[in-house]
Amino acid sequence: MESLRRGFLGQRRLLDCIQMEVTSVCGGRCTYCPHTTMAEHWRSRHMEPAVFAALWPLIRESERVHLQGWGEPLLHPRFFDFVALARRADCQVSSTTCGLKMDRDIARRLARCGMDMLAFSLAGTDAATNDSVRVGVPFDRVCAAIRMVRSAVRDEGYSALDVHLAYLLLADRVEAVSALPGLMEELDVSTAIVSSLDYIAAEDQTPLAFAPHERQKISRARQVLYTAAYEAAAAGRSIVFALPGARAVAGAGGCRENVTRSLYVDAEGALSPCVYLNVPDAAANPRRRVFGNALADNGLEVWQSRDFTAFRETLIRNEPDAACLVCPKRFEIVGKVQY
């Protein structure tokens, strides 16, 4: 029935994507992540099945369900049940993993479960550049996990699962990107999505990010990225990246997080515009924006509520909420080379 509603009736869903934090638990200790810098206040929890069930009206109105937030999604014992339910709503389903949980059985299940995309996180193209910041998530282990999944996909034959790299570009190791096309070739990965440090978890990490006024710093990074993207394109692969421009340049939605057609749900059902506006820490956070909870409210009614609608409209008018005023997502320009 969901397929008929989308295809035969030609009805477009209200949302492009609903991002779900199925867990905030993670075995990594990445230096730039609030899971590490806010460890004393961190709230580690799994999403209860009742929360996922309460999100069903929103899931049915979303083109994609992305199962990942501020934790490692494969640690959730019912991860594959959530995938199956989202597929039952005829949604595309994706996730991002650090790879620590991967084994051959999980790789086979991923290849068979109906997901269309799985991204693996990296912050370097070798152990030297990656492991110093992704503490507890060794580069070699991530590569081994990718190979397991690629092997499982090949064994299945009919699997639609595409494997991506979710690459974090840190300003102190820009040159490492030059090796990205070779790494993609070695691991047989079709696409690398390169992002910068959009959430500053501690003040001493500010130099690792790219602020809109840092034009020389951004120019050098863009040069390295375009060179790598052209090399990848020549081999039939794709590197997509985004760096901030000098002024807010986001599209019609006012933000590259596409908050006018997407939303974020934390592990307890709290509904927010994006993952950056609801970090699961118990400390007071002036940037936190929550407009309702799926366990207590109808998710669609929350999405269409006056307050949530007003929040989105301020972004469209380029008069954003204070929480979004200097967010790099409003300034980012996407770079991509077609092959």
Side-chain angles (χ1 to χ4, degrees), residues 288-301:
R288 196 182 315 279
R289 297 292 184 271
V290 173
F291 290 91
N293 190 292
L295 286 176
D297 312 297
N298 180 295
L300 281 177
E301 291 180 1

Side-chain angles (χ1 to χ4, degrees), residues 39 56 71 83 92 94 110 131 136 147 153 164 182 195 209 212 231 235 240 244 260 276 280 289 304 325 336:
W56 187 249
V83 173
Q92 293 180 303
S94 53
L110 286 164
D131 296 0
R147 291 188 180 100
V153 168
H164 290 190
S195 60
E231 183 180 341
V240 182
T260 56
Y276 301 111
R289 297 292 184 271
Q304 296 167 332
L325 195 60
K336 183 178 180 179

Side-chain angles (χ1 to χ4, degrees), residues 278-326:
N278 192 14
V279 177
D281 63 295
N285 188 339
R287 289 192 64 196
R288 196 182 315 279
R289 297 292 184 271
V290 173
F291 290 91
N293 190 292
L295 286 176
D297 312 297
N298 180 295
L300 281 177
E301 291 180 1
V302 172
W303 169 256
Q304 296 167 332
S305 67
R306 180 179 63 185
D307 289 346
F308 209 160
T309 300
F311 178 94
R312 298 192 296 271
E313 288 177 346
T314 61
L315 277 168
I316 294 172
R317 296 195 305 268
N318 200 24
E319 300 171 353
D321 182 290
C324 304
L325 195 60
V326 295

